[in-house]
Amino acid sequence: MADKMIAIMKSKPAYGAELVEVDVPKPKEGEVLIKVLATSICGTDLHIYEWNEWAQSRIKPPQIMGHEVAGEVVEVGPGVEDIQVGDYISAETHIVCGKCYQCRTGNYHVCQNTKIFGVDTDGVFAEYAIVPAQNAWKNPKNIPPEYATLQEPLGNAVDTVLAEPVAGKTVLITGAGPLGLLGITVAKAAGASLVIVSEPSDFRRELARKVGADVVINPFEEDVVKEVRDLTDGNGVDVFLEFSGAPKALEQGLQAVTPAGRVSLLGLFPRDVSIDFNNLIIFKSLTVYGITGRHLWQTWYTVSRLLQSGKLNLDPIITHKYKGFDKFEEAFELMRAGKTGKVVFFPHRK
Ligand SMILES: NC(=O)C1=CN([C@@H]2O[C@H](COP(=O)(O)OP(=O)(O)OC[C@H]3O[C@@H](n4cnc5c(N)ncnc54)[C@H](O)[C@@H]3O)[C@@H](O)[C@H]2O)C=CC1
Ligand SMILES: CC(=O)[C@H](N)C(=O)O
Ligand SMILES: [Zn+2]
Ligand SMILES: [Zn+2]
């Protein structure tokens, strides 16, 4: 195996990143080294690339970027027993402590001491990468790497959509970015009877249709609440899934969801949001879920089973595939322009 590798490095506290050649890392106690077969860009990686306020407050350059991955274990560090060389794995990004109140009560996804792999540590936008063995997820061999790398964001979508059952329910999704698109296919696979999607980007509304949305609405040109009510006999939808992080979308969704309906909030808002809690939540007796991360490890089982069921329509969502990392800047700029779904790199394919 090579002793040097190519990686996308956040080398400076400034916009952009660099392609660098670095030493292939050695796995320490409790770590494994993987050959990266596929890795994909998350919105968080874009924040780091753009070096926004959140990134400046969290990221310590120089650091290899990326946290969505599928790879083959090529070396295991001391003390690792349940992962072997040759295993095909993906990785949960939250490195949890196992000792705090949340971990000890089964809520690892909100561990008080969470470190995020690829955010607080070197990541996977590289030919090889270190993964904490406790974060490794063994993949069935029949899941292609371009799907396996999407399991981490699919976990966010599954926890958002399936906070409660959706079979036979009417659903409004606001935001058809990569995560909203994953939400659409999860909702359809799980039996939602009507999936309405509100998304201002023409490109992403078209993607939403291809993925399986029943109705798509441009919130900048149409009355979302009226459209939703017209489509649901005046009642409003049973389920509102917020995937945009847009305050206007939140308000529209709370108006469009039927009284006693269910709301899941995944989108992160750019600032504090003012909402009429009395009339939009309390007097409507809504059930509202805040969604973050993935339940460990229930969500990973659900995602893997949905993938193996063949019911997820992922191909339209993977809009860009790159062999190697040479064109990574193009990939980030296209994503920044909202002209992509999920972007996947295959570091070793020529
Ligand atoms: N809670 C969590 O654990 C996580 C939350 N997130 C958040 O989830 C959200 C979705 O992630 P991505 O798909 O990567 O984000 P994205 O920014 O690519 O997609 C958001 C979409 O919302 C659309 N949008 C903007 N204004 C809208 C409006 N008024 N109505 C409807 N749609 C509107 C945009 O056109 C865009 O397509 C982001 O806010 C992201 O920060 C992402 C990962 C984990
Ligand atoms: C921070 C991230 O982007 C990550 N996907 C997560 O789920 O925490
Ligand atoms: Zn992410
Ligand atoms: Zn903990």
Side-chain angles (χ1 to χ4, degrees):
M1 195 180 77
D3 57 6
K4 294 279 185 191
M5 68 177 190
I6 300 296
I8 301 177
M9 182 74 80
K10 187 70 187 182
S11 42
K12 299 187 195 75
Y15 184 92
E18 275 184 288
L19 212 50
V20 296
E21 185 179 55
V22 294
D23 293 338
V24 174
K26 290 292 286 174
K28 299 189 195 67
E29 172 95 21
E31 295 178 340
V32 299
L33 177 69
I34 62 169
K35 175 181 180 183
V36 175
L37 300 176
T39 180
S40 35
I41 305 180
C42 169
T44 302
D45 300 313
L46 189 53
H47 297 330
I48 296 169
Y49 186 82
E50 291 173 322
W51 201 235
N52 72 1
E53 240 176 273
W54 167 81
Q56 292 172 38
S57 71
R58 183 76 179 259
I59 310 299
K60 310 256 182 306
Q63 184 174 293
I64 296 173
M65 294 176 64
H67 54 268
E68 297 176 4
V69 70
E72 181 191 334
V73 177
V74 292
E75 193 177 344
V76 298
V80 174
E81 284 156 11
D82 54 342
I83 306 285
Q84 277 82 39
V85 168
D87 282 351
Y88 172 39
I89 67 167
S90 287
E92 162 55 38
T93 38
H94 291 196
I95 305 168
V96 300
C97 76
K99 299 187 180 71
C100 72
Y101 176 70
Q102 276 63 36
C103 285
R104 289 170 64 86
T105 53
N107 288 305
Y108 299 94
H109 64 298
V110 281
C111 163
Q112 293 178 30
N113 307 304
T114 298
K115 289 263 173 289
I116 300 180
F117 171 68
V119 170
D120 303 310
T121 72
D122 270 339
V124 293
F125 285 168
E127 291 173 316
Y128 295 88
I130 293 290
V131 173
Q134 72 174 55
N135 284 57
W137 172 264
K138 287 188 189 176
N139 294 315
K141 298 280 187 203
N142 64 345
I143 296 182
E146 58 267 35
Y147 291 176
T149 186
L150 300 187
Q151 290 176 107
E152 196 261 17
L154 261 172
N156 290 138
V158 159
D159 275 9
T160 306
V161 177
L162 300 180
E164 291 182 11
V166 293
K169 303 280 189 190
T170 57
V171 175
L172 169 65
I173 285 178
T174 49
L179 280 162
L181 292 167
L182 293 172
I184 295 166
T185 191
V186 170
K188 292 302 285 184
S193 57
L194 174 68
V195 176
I196 305 164
V197 176
S198 169
E199 163 59 60
S201 153
D202 297 346
F203 172 78
R204 286 183 163 175
R205 274 200 311 281
E206 188 46 37
L207 277 185
R209 280 193 193 89
K210 285 181 186 164
V211 170
D214 298 296
V215 177
V216 295
I217 299 171
N218 180 347
F220 292 178
E221 289 180 6
E222 301 165 79
D223 180 337
V224 175
V225 178
K226 179 182 180 315
E227 288 289 309
V228 167
R229 288 199 178 128
D230 290 349
L231 289 160
T232 54
D233 304 321
N235 295 314
V237 284
D238 303 311
V239 182
F240 164 40
L241 307 173
E242 212 306 299
F243 281 94
S244 77
K248 190 73 187 140
L250 173 65
E251 185 180 17
Q252 288 167 342
L254 292 174
Q255 288 168 341
V257 66
T258 197
R262 185 258 293 189
V263 179
S264 289
L265 303 178
L266 181 85
L268 300 178
F269 296 92
R271 71 192 81 80
D272 291 356
V273 180
S274 162
I275 283 288
D276 176 0
F277 267 79
N278 293 349
N279 293 307
L280 290 183
I281 294 178
I282 299 166
F283 289 135
K284 289 183 76 170
S285 184
L286 297 183
T287 300
V288 181
Y289 291 92
I291 308 293
T292 191
R294 289 144 299 278
H295 283 83
L296 302 182
W297 284 85
Q298 307 87 308
T299 305
W300 281 83
Y301 282 99
T302 304
V303 166
S304 185
R305 287 165 182 169
L306 280 172
L307 274 176
Q308 294 182 75
S309 74
K311 290 191 180 136
L312 295 181
N313 184 16
L314 298 179
D315 290 339
I317 299 176
I318 304 173
T319 55
H320 293 75
K321 295 180 180 178
Y322 291 93
K323 293 177 184 172
F325 291 117
D326 295 354
K327 295 189 176 175
F328 81 95
E329 286 164 323
E330 174 191 295
F332 273 99
E333 294 306 332
L334 282 170
M335 192 162 167
R336 200 161 172 258
K339 291 193 167 51
T340 70
K342 286 303 280 186
V343 176
V344 179
F345 294 110
F346 302 97
H348 295 274
R349 289 188 195 171
K350 297 292 174 234

